[in-house]
Amino acid sequence: MNEEQRRLVDAACRQRERSYSPYSRFRVGAALLGRSGTVYLGTNVENASFGLSICAERAAICRAIADGERAFTAIAVCADGGQPTPPCGACRQVLLEFGPDLVVLMAGNRGADGPVLAATAGELVPLAFTDFSANLADERAGASGEEQGPK
Ligand code: THU
């Protein structure tokens, strides 16, 4: 990890302290680095209706988008527990939306001084569902062409 990445991991760890997680008591912090150099922080926000809980990674993405930034180079995720916590499937899909090269740094409660895993958003979602508009275009082309319907 370079110095910028270490700082991002440590920012995610500090952000964990803002977690609203009275149900799981599992605190997660995220720090998302925009191309502009701005860091957007997020944390998990739980709800009495458990399924409505939002993860730290998606909270950070929403914050960045609301602030007008859409290009990102890295995101650090830091959770309670000694081992790195890889993002859930929903967060992986949402991160991938902003590019397969986004670097995802996963840390445990010791931050940059403990074990840190790194993977790209593309690596975290093999065989991803991405550009549905390309499929729609194929579909429309087929509808007006000869390939449509039984032979
Ligand atoms: N959580 C995250 O914030 N990010 C993840 O990628 C995995 C799970 C949160 C959601 C919930 O508040 C708690 O961790 C336990 O699942």
Side-chain angles (χ1 to χ4, degrees), residues 1-149:
M1 266 195 303
N2 61 33
E3 196 44 44
E4 186 176 52
Q5 291 174 327
R6 290 182 70 87
R7 278 205 303 274
L8 201 63
V9 167
D10 287 337
C13 280
R14 283 195 302 278
Q15 185 61 18
R16 210 172 34 139
E17 287 157 26
R18 295 260 167 95
S19 167
Y20 177 75
S21 45
Y23 304 103
S24 73
R25 305 210 169 276
F26 188 67
R27 301 172 307 161
V28 187
L32 175 67
L33 180 61
R35 286 252 165 84
S36 68
T38 303
V39 173
Y40 302 91
L41 300 170
T43 191
N44 53 331
V45 182
E46 297 187 344
N47 192 274
S49 176
F50 294 171
L52 299 182
S53 299
I54 182 155
C55 295
E57 300 90 321
R58 279 178 287 153
I61 289 277
C62 290
R63 195 164 181 178
I65 296 297
D67 278 0
E69 181 130 25
R70 294 185 171 186
F72 310 107
T73 53
I75 184 169
V77 187
C78 179
D80 284 337
Q83 296 306 312
T85 293
C88 78
C91 287
R92 292 177 190 212
Q93 180 75 25
V94 169
L95 294 174
L96 185 65
E97 179 75 16
F98 299 96
D101 298 330
L102 176 70
V103 173
V104 184
L105 301 165
M106 300 156 260
N109 57 10
R110 280 184 292 138
D113 293 330
V116 178
L117 297 174
T120 65
E123 287 167 343
L124 290 176
V125 193
L127 286 178
F129 174 74
T130 51
D131 190 3
F132 73 89
S133 59
N135 284 330
L136 280 181
D138 285 352
E139 189 88 352
R140 294 207 179 98
S144 59
E146 294 155 8
E147 288 170 25
Q148 188 76 2

